[in-house]
Amino acid sequence: MTISASLLFRATSIALAAGLGLAACSSDAYENQPGGNADDTLSQPETPSATAEETALAETFEEDFEVSTAMTLEDQWPDITAMESALAGTSEPDLCQEAGASQYGLLVDAQPANVRAAIDDEALLDENATGETLFAFYANDAASPDQLQEAHQNTDITCVEEDDSTVDHDVTQQEVAGEEVDVHTWQIEVSGQLTGRMVDMVGEDIYVRYSAAYPPQVMVEELEDDVTEFNEQATERAVSAFEAAAAQ
């Protein structure tokens, strides 16, 4: 990556973890990276076919949730492999890029079935957000719910730890779909600016993340909303998504 790309990655790290912003990258972007070329795309893993659970869950999100798009792993694959190739091919990666490469590498290697849904603009919980995203992962032998959550958490924290940052992270337990799940609530600030709010739900076989990303200059001290209210509403949506995923 060039220096400008590194700065872009750092500035949008929470969006990356949520599947926002950088998901617009494509395989064409990799051709412009140092050492990247069109032939490298030939060595990428074969695109996984959507599972029955993914297809059904994507349809459920589109029908019953206020989303603009719902994508299976098969749909996301070009973006995921392009990002993994670009980050893994960085000659002198910083800690943020290494964390991102690890996160995307896990997705490429383990290929956990999942659905990524973008919340419709009219249904955003936070009017200050540039977008909100819902992820629902089905774990497998190569990627447990804990591993998936830890990979996202590592990117969240590592990409801001060199700055004047504050990470408010709490973990509670809640019964969802007949099982006890860990509920992580997050708010991340950098130099007084709100950069991300997330709710993670980690069960035995399913990992759900609801995330909001923010543009620059959203100052926490100037916000009129209450993070507690956001967490409650985001948790309600995450619970509904977890239940929907468990029902497939």
Side-chain angles (χ1 to χ4, degrees):
M1 276 191 169
T2 62
I3 293 177
S4 59
S6 175
L7 292 176
L8 173 63
F9 182 84
R10 181 182 302 281
T12 57
S13 61
I14 303 304
L16 176 152
L20 296 166
L22 292 179
C25 293
S26 68
S27 57
D28 292 337
Y30 177 58
E31 295 180 15
N32 297 321
Q33 302 299 330
N37 56 66
D39 292 338
D40 289 319
T41 61
L42 299 177
S43 63
Q44 293 298 326
E46 183 178 352
T47 302
S49 298
T51 65
E53 289 82 4
E54 285 176 293
T55 300
L57 183 59
E59 292 176 352
T60 297
F61 281 170
E62 291 172 339
E63 294 172 359
D64 301 335
F65 289 67
E66 296 176 291
V67 304
S68 56
T69 60
M71 303 173 68
T72 66
L73 178 60
E74 180 179 8
D75 299 326
Q76 302 169 54
W77 198 246
D79 293 332
I80 290 174
T81 54
M83 283 300 297
E84 192 275 338
S85 294
L87 292 169
T90 304
S91 58
E92 296 182 0
D94 58 23
L95 294 177
C96 177
Q97 290 168 322
E98 289 180 351
S102 178
Q103 177 184 323
Y104 276 94
L106 177 62
L107 299 182
V108 169
D109 294 339
Q111 300 184 18
N114 73 89
V115 175
R116 183 185 79 203
I119 303 300
D120 189 87
D121 288 345
E122 300 301 319
L124 297 181
L125 297 178
D126 191 340
E127 63 180 11
N128 297 292
T130 55
E132 296 175 9
T133 302
L134 177 62
F135 261 118
F137 286 91
Y138 292 98
N140 57 32
D141 291 341
S144 69
D146 284 332
Q147 288 174 307
L148 291 164
Q149 193 279 331
E150 288 172 3
H152 285 79
Q153 175 178 321
N154 190 40
T155 302
D156 293 341
I157 295 176
T158 303
C159 289
V160 299
E161 67 180 5
E162 296 177 2
D163 301 307
D164 181 15
S165 61
T166 300
V167 180
D168 292 328
H169 178 200
D170 294 313
V171 184
T172 58
Q173 284 71 44
Q174 183 172 337
E175 184 172 332
V176 183
E179 65 173 285
E180 195 81 2
V181 303
D182 289 335
V183 181
H184 301 249
T185 54
W186 296 77
Q187 175 163 300
I188 297 182
E189 308 168 24
V190 177
S191 299
Q193 300 177 52
L194 178 61
T195 62
R197 284 176 173 170
M198 294 79 68
V199 173
D200 291 340
M201 306 199 74
V202 185
E204 295 178 1
D205 302 301
I206 295 171
Y207 165 51
V208 167
R209 163 168 280 216
Y210 191 96
S211 180
Y214 298 84
Q217 305 306 317
V218 175
M219 308 305 295
V220 174
E221 63 180 13
E222 298 176 0
L223 293 178
E224 297 181 357
D225 73 327
D226 183 356
V227 65
T228 300
E229 181 180 357
F230 174 87
N231 286 341
E232 290 175 350
Q233 294 176 332
T235 298
E236 289 179 4
R237 289 187 174 181
V239 166
S240 296
F242 194 104
E243 292 174 337
Q248 305 309 319

